[in-house]
Amino acid sequence: YNDGAGRGITRMRRARITTPDIQQWDIQNPHAIASAEKFAADRVTDIVEDVRKALKDSVAEAIRVGQSQRQLKKKIRETVGLNGRQIRALENFENKLIASGASQKEVAVQVAKEAEKKLRYRAEMIARTETSAAWADGNVASYKEAGVEYKEFSAASDSCEICWPLNGNVYPIGSSEQVIPKHVNCRCDWLPVVESPSIIETPEQVMG
């Protein structure tokens, strides 16, 4: 979004269209930033509080300055290590290599590669899940501030069996019947519902 806005501003300036609104373009969602500062990394396991605080700061800063998830993932990878489940899996991987007769050097190389792979996965999972949570919370707060009374669950186009059945379901703003993200790596979001409440089904009707 920030990249697109930047390109749009550049093109308008070339066309000598310079209004204060264009020059001061800002798509930050202060509610999303506030949510990240308060709640980001609360779902992350096997980290000390200093690392949790660093993760909160990283996610909030990424939203504030418009960093991509790839940039955030790189920063997270430098901050966190493997969780307990990943460490145990890595130990099993190493034991299998040793049992297969691999040399000490080969074991070390393969274990290092596997550890890096698992660390990349964990960093990506944290980046995706925590930014998704911050934006979902921030969007709902923005809708409420704008006077919107209902929110619609919008499942990602390739969503899983957990999220897809909820796609299109409508809930009152402030309702805690559903929480996004529903799981790690969830990319679903809330949409504002602006139709008259009289034509909106209640959550009980929508859920059947």
Side-chain angles (χ1 to χ4, degrees):
Y1 286 140
N2 280 328
D3 288 346
R7 287 194 293 271
I9 291 170
T10 299
R11 290 175 181 176
M12 288 190 173
R13 284 177 178 166
R14 287 175 182 170
R16 299 188 179 182
I17 303 174
T18 54
T19 69
D21 287 342
I22 294 170
Q23 292 173 341
Q24 297 173 15
W25 179 276
D26 184 5
I27 63 162
Q28 288 184 357
N29 184 331
H31 297 294
I33 296 171
S35 177
E37 290 174 339
K38 187 174 182 179
F39 300 114
D42 285 354
R43 288 163 285 268
V44 182
T45 60
D46 296 342
I47 56 174
V48 297
E49 286 308 307
D50 285 349
V51 173
R52 194 178 304 279
K53 176 62 168 60
L55 285 177
K56 289 180 187 290
D57 292 343
S58 295
V59 174
E61 181 66 9
I63 295 174
R64 183 180 295 110
V65 304
Q67 287 182 343
S68 67
Q69 284 196 0
R70 179 175 294 182
Q71 291 171 307
L72 176 58
K73 181 176 68 174
K74 184 174 183 292
K75 185 179 293 186
I76 290 174
R77 199 168 66 207
E78 296 169 352
T79 304
V80 303
L82 301 178
N83 59 29
R85 180 179 54 80
Q86 289 177 313
I87 291 173
R88 290 189 293 274
L90 192 64
E91 290 172 346
N92 291 335
F93 178 74
E94 181 178 13
N95 291 334
K96 287 181 180 179
L97 288 174
I98 294 172
S100 70
S103 67
Q104 186 175 357
K105 181 179 179 179
E106 181 64 17
V107 169
V109 170
Q110 292 301 321
V111 168
K113 287 183 179 180
E114 185 69 12
E116 178 62 20
K117 177 182 175 182
K118 291 183 181 301
L119 185 56
R120 285 199 306 269
Y121 172 80
R122 189 181 192 205
E124 181 176 1
M125 176 186 70
I126 293 172
R128 180 176 292 172
T129 305
E130 297 305 322
T131 53
S132 174
W135 277 113
D137 289 347
N139 286 342
V140 171
S142 296
Y143 303 156
K144 183 177 181 180
E145 189 176 79
V148 176
E149 297 181 358
Y150 293 86
K151 59 187 179 181
E152 177 183 330
F153 193 101
S154 177
S157 59
D158 58 347
S159 58
C160 63
E161 65 275 8
I162 295 174
C163 298
W164 185 248
L166 300 173
N167 188 52
N169 285 7
V170 174
Y171 307 92
I173 292 290
S175 167
S176 58
E177 292 175 73
Q178 298 295 339
V179 177
I180 293 177
K182 299 294 294 178
H183 52 79
V184 297
N185 288 325
C186 181
R187 291 180 292 106
C188 300
D189 201 359
W190 293 112
L191 297 179
V193 178
V194 295
E195 292 90 343
S196 170
S198 62
I199 64 172
I200 299 175
E201 294 178 310
T202 65
E204 291 78 13
Q205 291 173 318
V206 174
M207 294 297 288

